[in-house]
Amino acid sequence: MIDLKLIRENPDLVKKAARDKNMKVDIDQVLAVDGRRRALETEFNDLRHQQNVAGEHIAKAPKEAKAELSKALGQIKTRLKEIDVARDQVDAELRALLLLVPQIPDPAAPIGPDASCNVEIRRVGTPKRKADYGFKCKDHLELGSALGIIDMDRGVKIAGTRNYVLRGAGAQLHEAVLRLAWDLMSSRSFLPLTVPVLVNDALMYGTGFFPLHREEVYLCERDGQSLVGTAEVPVTGYHGDEILDEAELPKLYFARSTCFRREAGAAGKDTRGLYRIHYFDKIEQVVVCKSDPAESAKWHAAIIKNAEDLLQALELPYRVMEVCTGDMGQGKVRMYDIETWMPSREAYGETHSASRFHDFQARRLNLRYRRADTGKPEFCHTLNNTVIASPRILIPLLEINQNADGSVTIPPALRKFMGGAERIA
């Protein structure tokens, strides 16, 4: 949610943001409803003043005049009740519209309608193509099935399409990458949290997943709750409805959670293997900082570096992409994806997403801090980024490190979590 005052004062800027993000929202309607709300507020305040004055007059009026004055006062009270009802209706209408208004992207963000306009920032490592192996290169599912570490068939039997079971060394490898990420984040002064993955709908609205992405979420409608698609939701909402001291900031958190995604609209897309699945585990990093664009940009670079350092420890080639306006989503000011090389795809595949929101989420969550200089409350800025998500990261890990005999070499950084094993065979 963005500041309503900004919409009033710069409607054309907000309209441009909606166009650049390919979002349909009627800003003129927002302003019209806001105008009705403000008119009702003005009338309400005027009538309350008249009510107070009339009450004083009745107290001092002669007996014969009291009846007429009381009648007028009754009319005022009736109208105040009508305005109360109308205000509630208009407030609800305005809030519903404001929930659709996009955050204004950073002027430096690339403008474009979709992912084809994303901009490559840098590449790290040398991609290994199928022809470089000197033997017939297998994809991760062929490798995992032959090694007995991935069982898609029984995953589907248990839970339907886009489900899987990791077995033996596959489950160990999954845990190993998450534990490596946990250790890295702990060493960088980020505080670990264990958080619920079933949250109140208010947090889904607060972090910007509702109303626009409701179809992508597993809903527990009877309880008014939802399964999260990322720990971003409970971690960002952790300080909702609080006023923090500026001295407490920044808040640096990370959390491991199981993530659930319906993948609505992904029918027929990436159906093979572990790329697009209904549940996975992820370690997410979240920053809550003061309302300063330069401070936000500094932490954005820091959380991207955390993810890059982890990929370099795993010796995986990757590239960093800046996401264009039409692909970044509603609440983001600026966004970067990290894509890791996947030989079976002969391409990079997205494995990380790093976003900064400025005060978009904080306004929805009522997440504020008290400025040290003025003592006044101000909305925080929020950011988040994937540290690691598995089992998607197992795709490049298995494929890049495969050997001619069908075994897979375990990267040195993970061996301490694998009982010292050097290969999966």
Side-chain angles (χ1 to χ4, degrees), residues 201 204-205 208-221 226-229 260-267 278:
D201 284 356
M204 300 298 284
Y205 282 101
F209 288 90
F210 285 177
L212 294 180
H213 302 287
R214 192 179 183 89
E215 288 301 310
E216 299 169 22
V217 174
Y218 284 106
L219 305 174
C220 300
E221 291 164 303
S226 305
L227 288 168
V228 299
F260 302 89
R261 299 190 183 179
R262 290 186 62 236
E263 293 294 349
H278 285 313

Side-chain angles (χ1 to χ4, degrees), residues 81-210:
K81 290 179 181 177
E82 292 172 350
I83 292 174
D84 259 339
V85 173
R87 265 196 321 189
D88 288 345
Q89 293 172 342
V90 170
D91 282 345
E93 184 180 355
L94 182 60
R95 177 169 174 77
L97 287 169
L98 287 173
L99 287 173
L100 302 176
V101 177
Q103 174 66 290
I104 296 169
D106 190 297
I111 296 174
D114 52 43
S116 65
C117 295
N118 294 348
V119 177
E120 184 175 308
I121 303 299
R122 60 182 169 273
R123 293 190 182 194
V124 177
T126 303
K128 194 172 184 180
R129 299 183 178 276
K130 292 179 181 180
D132 298 331
Y133 283 85
F135 56 87
K136 187 178 184 302
C137 179
K138 298 177 182 177
D139 70 18
H140 69 284
L141 189 53
E142 292 172 306
L143 285 164
S145 298
L147 291 168
I149 62 174
I150 301 174
D151 191 338
M152 297 296 294
D153 292 339
R154 288 187 178 90
V156 171
K157 179 182 73 172
I158 293 168
T161 58
R162 298 188 188 275
N163 283 288
Y164 60 93
V165 173
L166 298 177
R167 294 164 34 93
Q172 284 182 291
L173 192 63
H174 169 79
E175 291 296 325
V177 296
L178 294 165
R179 290 171 68 187
L180 181 65
W182 183 283
D183 287 354
L184 181 140
M185 295 306 297
S186 294
S187 72
R188 299 192 174 181
S189 301
F190 278 67
L191 182 71
L193 301 180
T194 297
V195 290
V197 296
L198 183 64
V199 300
N200 297 328
D201 284 356
L203 260 70
M204 300 298 284
Y205 282 101
T207 47
F209 288 90
F210 285 177

Side-chain angles (χ1 to χ4, degrees), residues 19 60 62 114 149 187 198 209 213 223 255 291 295 394 405 413:
R19 288 194 303 272
K60 298 175 182 178
D114 52 43
I149 62 174
S187 72
L198 183 64
F209 288 90
H213 302 287
D223 301 303
S291 177
E295 178 87 353
L394 302 189
D405 63 359

Side-chain angles (χ1 to χ4, degrees), residues 278-339:
H278 285 313
Y279 82 97
F280 55 94
D281 286 286
K282 178 157 68 87
I283 290 184
E284 185 80 0
Q285 50 188 324
V286 170
V287 176
V288 178
C289 66
K290 64 183 182 181
S291 177
D292 178 356
E295 178 87 353
S296 289
K298 180 189 80 171
W299 284 110
H300 206 171
I303 59 178
I304 292 170
K305 185 179 187 302
N306 289 339
E308 288 192 72
D309 287 350
L310 186 61
L311 288 174
Q312 289 172 27
L314 293 172
E315 302 176 38
L316 296 176
Y318 65 89
R319 66 178 183 176
V320 178
M321 302 288 291
E322 179 161 12
V323 177
C324 74
T325 53
D327 194 36
M328 70 166 56
Q330 180 191 17
K332 297 160 187 178
V333 171
R334 207 159 188 185
M335 178 180 178
Y336 297 85
D337 282 346
I338 300 177
E339 300 177 347

